[in-house]
Amino acid sequence: MSNPSNLKYTASHEWVHVEADGTLTIGITEHAQELLGDMVFVEAPSVGRKLNAKEECAVVESVKAAADVYAPVAGEVVAANADLDASPEAINTDPYGAWIFKLKPNNAADVAGLLDAAAYQAVVDSEAH
């Protein structure tokens, strides 16, 4: 499994891509989708919703289980990926391309506190034991 080095991560298995305009694109990691299995439904947060850091804000459902998705930092939802309504399995085929929502962070500096690829891999490895 490979965790792209250009992304930030959370211990709860979200990936975060910082866009050129400062917004954050968020999805779940390859590790998370492997644990969950075949996706059947994704519920993204509503555009305009204000989130606190680590707040439950979305749900991904697979044939095995449902899992909450958490906001990596505080901010306002500026987009939700409507393509996942019809094709939730895109998360399985391209976990780092199938984003769930976009967030405008309240404080851009909060992103620096997220995990880099190596630190996230250490979290994954620690769970495996």
Side-chain angles (χ1 to χ4, degrees):
M1 172 181 18
S2 148
N3 300 309
S5 61
N6 64 320
L7 302 176
K8 291 289 199 172
Y9 299 89
T10 67
S12 53
H13 308 293
E14 290 83 20
W15 58 260
V16 179
H17 182 262
V18 181
E19 303 295 341
D21 65 0
T23 60
L24 308 177
T25 300
I26 299 151
I28 64 169
T29 64
E30 183 174 354
H31 176 72
Q33 69 83 23
E34 285 176 354
L35 290 175
L36 289 165
D38 296 335
M39 294 293 160
V40 294
F41 178 74
V42 177
E43 181 183 340
S46 303
V47 171
R49 181 172 166 190
K50 293 184 181 353
L51 302 172
N52 294 314
K54 300 183 180 171
E55 180 179 345
E56 296 172 8
C57 61
V59 176
V60 289
E61 286 185 31
S62 71
V63 293
K64 290 198 251 182
D68 291 317
V69 177
Y70 300 88
V73 297
E76 181 178 343
V77 177
V78 294
N81 188 349
D83 293 345
L84 295 178
D85 293 345
S87 302
E89 69 280 358
I91 289 176
N92 297 116
T93 55
D94 185 12
Y96 296 111
W99 57 278
I100 297 173
F101 66 102
K102 295 187 183 220
L103 188 71
K104 180 181 177 190
N106 291 349
N107 182 353
D110 291 346
V111 175
L114 299 175
L115 304 173
D116 64 14
Y120 176 68
Q121 187 61 51
V123 168
V124 171
D125 292 346
S126 71
E127 291 178 353
H129 301 304

